[in-house]
Amino acid sequence: VGDSTSGKTDIVNSFFNMEFYKDMLSTIGSDKLETKYTLKNGKEIKVIIWDTAGNKRFISVALKAIKSVQGIILLFDITKRDTFENINLWLEEIKKNLDDPCIVLLGNNIHVEEEKWEVTREEANKFAKSKNLEYFEVSAKTKQGIDEGFSYIIHKTYDKIEKKTETKEEKKICKIF
């Protein structure tokens, strides 16, 4: 999730090894993509990724529509300060509408020369640390950092699901005895 023009569709397309389009149209509603992903332990899982519209009017609608989501990629464009400043709004909506998902913060467009960055690396890192988020710099265009960012959120989400499952199974066993 993130503001329109932050590069959400580009990031998803990059992860799925689809072609990069410089002038991508804004997403209307949401798109769902699925893939098989091999974890570091060798286990293969199915990953479903929702690409949502970033229009502020539809934030809560988009989040309510995907209530079962367990992981969030929160994206901003390092060359557009307003997309960074709206991260708090997205975090508030996530807390209101979702049940404690894993969240990772990605700053897109690191292929652009640093003189054009409106958000510094230090500022983004400081913000992420203050919100207890991991931060990755990525480029949908060059695919730099994409695998690391997605791998992080997939593994973190999977680990959280496994812990919940283990706890439930232990409770079931206790009830049986």
Side-chain angles (χ1 to χ4, degrees), residues 141-158:
K141 183 176 183 177
T142 66
K143 299 186 182 198
Q144 184 179 351
I146 298 293
D147 288 340
E148 293 84 356
F150 273 82
S151 177
Y152 172 83
I153 193 64
I154 291 168
H155 281 90
K156 183 172 178 162
T157 302
Y158 179 80

Side-chain angles (χ1 to χ4, degrees), residues 5 9 13 17 20 22-23 44 46 52 63 68 98 177:
T5 74
T9 300
N13 287 349
N17 292 315
F20 177 82
K22 184 177 181 233
D23 298 316
E44 191 173 84
K46 180 167 87 170
T52 61
L63 291 173
S68 64
L98 299 175
F177 292 122

Side-chain angles (χ1 to χ4, degrees), residues 2 12 43 85 104 121 133-134 146 157 169:
V12 171
K43 184 174 184 173
E85 291 174 351
V104 66
R121 178 172 286 126
L133 302 173
E134 287 296 317
I146 298 293
T157 302
E169 287 173 1

Side-chain angles (χ1 to χ4, degrees), residues 19 27 33 35 37 47 53 71 79 84 95 113 116 125 135 156 158:
E19 194 170 335
T27 302
L33 295 101
T35 190
Y37 185 87
V47 176
T79 67
F84 177 72
K95 286 179 184 168
E113 52 274 2
K116 294 183 180 178
N125 276 314
Y135 172 63
K156 183 172 178 162
Y158 179 80

Side-chain angles (χ1 to χ4, degrees), residues 7 9 24 26 37 59 62 112 123 125 133 138-139 153 164:
T9 300
M24 179 72 69
S26 290
Y37 185 87
I59 292 173
V112 175
E123 184 178 16
N125 276 314
L133 302 173
V138 300
S139 169
I153 193 64
K164 282 184 179 179

